[in-house]
Every structure is written in structure tokens, then in C-alpha cells.
Amino acid sequence: MTKTLLVSCLVLALLVGCNTGNTKTDEEVTVATGQIIAEEQLDLNSEVDFIFYNDVVYVLSEEKELELTKEKLDEVGKIETQYTSDVDTSLLSATKLDEGSTVYAIDDSMTTLVVDQGNELKAYEAIPEG
């Protein structure tokens, strides 16, 4: 019983302590899950090569060899900007790819994106949420 009470008090203290006290109602800051994952990837490795698209982070897969041609891929779009923590989540952005690089999808599942880099197709694997 005392352990439960102690744990409850600690959780309550943590919640109260984390209150920012921000009473602004006219401005709301939203951080998408993908942005959190992207920032975690950058914290782990500042040189990480990823694409950020539709709130999903796709990290370069060094192991995945592709035996496809561009003709069998569906174009998703072109890299619009370099990734930063405040980039608009609707933009197609990347940490290492040049702006204008064309991005393709292998299939409708969108678990893998592909970029043509000098006649070599590179795969970028989606990091699942959670």
C-alpha cells in the first residue's frame, strides 16, 4: 500500500513539475511524431542520411540491394528542402540528398523509398512509429 502511494505521489509530482505554465491560448505548437523520430536519429548520429516525407522518416539502408529499374517505380516527388527541425511536414526533405533529387516508391505500402544517385538506386527504409 505504501509503495502504491509513493509511486502515485512521484507520478503526480512529475506531472506537476513538467507543467510549463504556458497560458497562451492564441498560439499552439504541434510536434509531429515523425519530427520526434527525425530528431532522435540526428541525436544518435549527426551524419545520418534520411528522407522526411509525410511525417515518416526513411533512413538509408546500406544492406538493401535493389534489382529494379526506375521504369518500375512510381515517382513520389523531388527533394524540396534540406531537413531542419522546423521544416514544414508537408515538404519532401532530406539531410544529405540534394534539392531536386527525384524520390520514388517501390509500391503503395510506402515502406521503402528509392533515390537514383548517379545510376545507382539507393533504398531508404521507413522507421516505424513506436
Side-chain angles (χ1 to χ4, degrees), residues 78-82 94-102 117:
K78 297 185 184 295
I79 299 296
E80 299 170 75
T81 185
Q82 292 295 303
T95 54
K96 300 289 180 190
L97 297 171
D98 294 330
E99 290 179 16
S101 298
T102 305
Q117 291 283 280

Side-chain angles (χ1 to χ4, degrees), residues 68-128:
L68 301 167
T69 60
K70 285 193 302 187
E71 292 75 30
K72 294 185 178 184
L73 301 171
D74 296 320
E75 185 175 325
V76 172
K78 297 185 184 295
I79 299 296
E80 299 170 75
T81 185
Q82 292 295 303
Y83 176 82
T84 63
S85 60
D86 58 349
V87 73
D88 184 343
T89 57
S90 67
L91 296 177
L92 187 54
S93 61
T95 54
K96 300 289 180 190
L97 297 171
D98 294 330
E99 290 179 16
S101 298
T102 305
V103 179
Y104 304 91
I106 291 178
D107 55 34
D108 291 337
S109 69
M110 297 294 289
T111 57
T112 304
L113 295 182
V114 177
V115 177
D116 182 11
Q117 291 283 280
N119 296 327
E120 178 186 0
L121 295 177
K122 292 187 177 183
Y124 289 77
E125 296 290 324
I127 297 176

Side-chain angles (χ1 to χ4, degrees), residues 4-130:
T4 305
L5 183 59
L6 179 62
V7 170
S8 297
C9 288
L10 287 173
V11 170
L12 182 61
L14 179 65
L15 291 174
V16 171
C18 290
N19 183 5
T20 61
N22 187 355
T23 58
K24 289 184 181 180
T25 56
D26 61 339
E27 184 177 322
E28 186 175 317
V29 176
T30 303
V31 177
T33 305
Q35 288 172 310
I36 295 169
I37 294 171
E39 292 304 311
E40 288 173 351
Q41 290 299 309
L42 286 170
D43 286 344
L44 292 172
N45 177 4
S46 63
E47 297 299 314
V48 67
D49 185 357
F50 70 73
I51 297 170
F52 187 70
Y53 177 63
N54 276 349
D55 200 33
V56 177
V57 177
Y58 297 85
V59 177
L60 177 64
S61 173
E62 299 289 341
E63 292 89 39
K64 189 164 189 166
E65 291 187 25
L66 298 173
E67 308 221 358
L68 301 167
T69 60
K70 285 193 302 187
E71 292 75 30
K72 294 185 178 184
L73 301 171
D74 296 320
E75 185 175 325
V76 172
K78 297 185 184 295
I79 299 296
E80 299 170 75
T81 185
Q82 292 295 303
Y83 176 82
T84 63
S85 60
D86 58 349
V87 73
D88 184 343
T89 57
S90 67
L91 296 177
L92 187 54
S93 61
T95 54
K96 300 289 180 190
L97 297 171
D98 294 330
E99 290 179 16
S101 298
T102 305
V103 179
Y104 304 91
I106 291 178
D107 55 34
D108 291 337
S109 69
M110 297 294 289
T111 57
T112 304
L113 295 182
V114 177
V115 177
D116 182 11
Q117 291 283 280
N119 296 327
E120 178 186 0
L121 295 177
K122 292 187 177 183
Y124 289 77
E125 296 290 324
I127 297 176
E129 290 184 28

